[in-house]
Amino acid sequence: MREVRDLLIRGSEKVIGHYRLLLAGARTESERELYRSRIQREQRLLDELQGGQPDRSAA
């Protein structure tokens, strides 16, 4: 079960990275807001997967 959780964590981290790239290239404020909200949502899911532990990528 831990392997599945670790896989989901890595996937979430990858998704967040992709959204950050999209955010950096966003041309309109609506695009930026969309990517920010998706990053926040994915970060919440990642935090839940990590058991409420701090985000590893923040270090």
Side-chain angles (χ1 to χ4, degrees):
M1 193 65 155
R2 179 164 169 76
E3 293 170 1
V4 172
R5 188 174 67 85
D6 289 346
L7 179 67
L8 291 171
I9 287 171
R10 285 192 306 275
S12 287
E13 289 169 342
K14 191 172 183 176
V15 167
I16 290 169
H18 284 291
Y19 280 133
R20 286 182 177 154
L21 287 173
L22 290 169
L23 177 60
R27 295 182 181 187
T28 66
E29 186 57 37
S30 62
E31 278 183 294
R32 285 187 285 276
E33 186 55 39
L34 174 67
Y35 297 136
R36 283 185 200 113
S37 69
R38 290 184 179 179
I39 289 168
Q40 290 172 349
R41 182 186 66 201
E42 195 67 34
Q43 186 63 54
R44 282 191 301 273
L45 295 171
L46 179 58
D47 290 344
E48 287 178 27
L49 285 169
Q50 293 176 328
Q53 297 172 359
D55 175 15
R56 285 193 271 179
S57 64

